[in-house]
Amino acid sequence: MDVSVSITASKSLSQSNLILKNLFVTLQIGQTVRTGSGVLVDDAQFRSGSAEIPLVLTIKNSTTNTMMYVRNIPMSSVLENGGLHSRWVAVYPPGDPQNLHFDAFAVPGEGCPQVCLSVATHEDLMATVANLSSSPAESSSGGFGSYSFSPQPRLSVVQESHDEKVDQLRRSIHSLQEELKLSRQSIDGGRGSYMAAPSGRSTMLPPTAGGDRQSFLPPTSRSSLEAGQD
């Protein structure tokens, strides 16, 4: 996310005007440091990859290079409140335990060193698009409406390729089923058929349950045989 920080005013940093003229501020998020020529800063820009990295505000004396005040501001708290707009924030001497706690709605007391701070955050749209492009089915529905950032032509090509493979698989299965059906019909037909014997010859059949063999005779031969027996 992109972060912009501004300090528009200060109070009670020192009772000496000379010291006030020598004060300057440094702002830091992660490894990025922005240094102002004085206490006031206009739109210092940062880029942060995590809300867990705080904004560290430091006020130093340029003459002695002494750190006079420090304030840790959790970016998670800034995001929860939708940013900070012209908010008076107390600053503390280094080592003060009050710096360990931050309340965006706390109002500094009179005479407490403080600065008027504004912090705005903006989502990195390019990073969002890159993340969503890696998952074509995902879409973003935020303050910008509901959009699918994935390239539509690419999704269409992938879908067509998938459908073509499914059709090929279905055709293969259908072809195998037809071949299996024909094969079964051929086997069943072979079992139920017999070879007719040529005229005048007998064909030996397999042994019956009684163990005897029987001859298959054509009708004309069988009639002649019966007549002779009579």
Side-chain angles (χ1 to χ4, degrees):
M1 62 182 171
D2 294 326
V3 183
S4 60
V5 183
S6 298
I7 298 177
T8 56
S10 63
K11 292 180 181 178
S12 306
L13 296 181
S14 177
Q15 296 180 352
S16 170
N17 290 330
L18 180 61
I19 293 178
L20 285 175
K21 291 180 180 180
N22 293 326
L23 296 181
F24 70 97
V25 67
T26 62
L27 302 169
Q28 181 175 357
I29 296 180
Q31 301 297 321
T32 305
V33 180
R34 303 284 186 250
T35 301
S37 57
V39 175
L40 306 185
V41 176
D42 182 27
D43 197 25
Q45 296 291 322
F46 299 89
R47 175 166 290 184
S48 177
S50 173
E52 301 301 322
I53 303 175
L55 166 65
V56 181
L57 184 155
T58 304
I59 298 177
K60 295 181 179 181
N61 187 325
S62 60
T63 302
T64 61
N65 199 28
T66 303
M67 183 185 299
M68 298 187 64
Y69 303 104
V70 66
R71 192 69 167 111
N72 287 8
I73 301 170
M75 289 304 302
S76 57
S77 179
V78 173
L79 292 173
E80 289 174 1
N81 292 280
L84 300 178
H85 180 66
S86 298
R87 191 72 55 84
W88 285 99
V89 176
V91 292
Y92 303 104
D96 193 318
Q98 295 182 86
N99 187 43
L100 300 177
H101 306 282
F102 181 81
D103 184 357
F105 296 98
V107 179
E110 284 295 328
C112 177
Q114 54 193 286
V115 295
C116 186
L117 182 68
S118 293
V119 182
T121 60
H122 310 278
E123 289 297 330
D124 188 348
L125 292 181
M126 294 303 295
T128 302
V129 171
N131 291 335
L132 292 177
S133 296
S134 61
S135 302
E138 294 180 0
S139 63
S140 173
S141 57
F144 300 98
S146 179
Y147 298 97
S148 176
F149 290 100
S150 57
Q152 295 303 320
R154 178 185 176 187
L155 178 60
S156 177
V157 171
V158 172
Q159 185 65 35
E160 291 177 1
S161 177
H162 174 73
D163 293 342
E164 183 178 355
K165 290 181 178 180
V166 172
D167 291 340
Q168 291 178 354
L169 182 59
R170 287 176 177 172
R171 288 195 295 269
S172 298
I173 293 175
H174 180 72
S175 177
L176 290 174
Q177 289 175 341
E178 290 296 325
E179 291 181 4
L180 182 60
K181 181 178 179 181
L182 292 174
S183 178
R184 287 177 177 174
Q185 290 177 351
S186 176
I187 294 173
D188 293 340
R191 289 176 179 174
S193 63
Y194 60 85
M195 181 179 294
S199 178
R201 291 188 177 183
S202 64
T203 301
M204 297 303 296
L205 296 178
T208 61
D212 298 330
R213 293 181 179 269
Q214 296 179 352
S215 299
F216 175 82
L217 298 177
T220 54
S221 300
R222 183 178 300 175
S223 299
S224 301
L225 179 60
E226 291 176 353
Q229 290 177 354
D230 291 340

